[in-house]
Amino acid sequence: MDEGIDISVQGNYSKLKEDPEALLKFINKCCTIQLIKNTTFCGFVHSIDPISKSIILAVPHENTYQITLIPGHAVIDLNEKNENSGGTPFLRLEDSNADVIVRKNKVLNWLKVNLLPVTESGDNIVFGNVQILPPYKVTDICTDNPIVAMQIRKILEKMPRDY
């Protein structure tokens, strides 16, 4: 791949844990997760905790999704499914593309008003070692520093709804 990170590699999760950028590539993708004791889950990766490497997975169930927390220590392997999963990514169901773009612009402007040097990298809002992923809510802050994540969350929570 052009980006130097191949998420389709049948890799060991312990190696992936050491590469936060590689883990970000799995967000909002349909993946198969192999766990200890020969257990497997398949669904859309909602988020991955930067500290414990636990995975929040949205597993398709009838016409909705069941949210499952998978502890990082129990994961043996994480692989993106290449075939059509028959569903759409979890985050895309709750927000239209127009809503996400509007929210992104609001968050960008709010962070600039709060004197943070923000830039855009693809769909992500970036500043320092912090990334805010679509759909740009307080639960979509990605950083390896929990104190920084809490501060950014507080700033975003103070943004007026009509901003």
Side-chain angles (χ1 to χ4, degrees):
M1 293 189 153
D2 295 339
E3 299 166 5
I5 300 170
D6 186 0
I7 61 174
S8 64
V9 171
Q10 301 291 324
N12 188 330
Y13 191 62
S14 62
K15 291 179 185 175
L16 281 172
K17 286 183 195 181
E18 298 170 12
D19 189 354
E21 288 186 29
L23 289 176
L24 280 176
K25 299 292 183 181
F26 288 99
I27 302 296
N28 212 25
K29 300 274 197 265
C30 186
C31 295
T32 302
I33 302 172
Q34 182 182 358
L35 306 175
I36 55 177
K37 297 189 179 182
N38 294 328
T39 305
T40 303
F41 280 93
C42 183
F44 293 96
V45 176
H46 179 275
S47 55
I48 300 174
D49 179 63
I51 306 300
S52 69
K53 307 302 187 225
S54 297
I55 300 170
I56 297 176
L57 192 68
V59 179
H61 182 70
E62 296 176 2
N63 290 332
T64 184
Y65 288 90
Q66 177 179 355
I67 304 301
T68 305
L69 174 63
I70 301 172
H73 71 274
V75 178
I76 295 173
D77 206 0
L78 172 64
N79 296 299
E80 181 179 359
K81 282 182 70 174
N82 293 329
E83 68 271 3
N84 187 355
S85 62
T88 56
F90 176 71
L91 293 175
R92 301 284 187 236
L93 289 178
E94 60 185 48
D95 299 305
S96 72
N97 284 342
D99 291 340
V100 171
I101 291 169
V102 168
R103 189 175 309 113
K104 179 181 183 180
N105 291 331
K106 285 181 180 180
V107 169
L108 269 169
N109 290 332
W110 181 251
L111 294 173
K112 287 178 182 177
V113 164
N114 284 276
L115 304 177
L116 293 171
V118 295
T119 59
E120 295 180 57
S121 176
D123 288 338
N124 302 337
I125 298 172
V126 179
F127 53 100
N129 69 344
V130 178
Q131 292 189 35
I132 304 175
L133 309 173
Y136 314 106
K137 296 181 180 178
V138 294
T139 56
D140 301 311
I141 299 167
C142 183
T143 181
D144 59 356
N145 187 331
I147 295 171
V148 171
M150 286 189 320
Q151 294 301 319
I152 299 304
R153 183 181 186 128
K154 287 179 186 178
I155 291 170
L156 291 179
E157 287 174 340
K158 290 180 182 178
M159 183 173 74
R161 290 194 188 275
D162 59 348
Y163 181 78

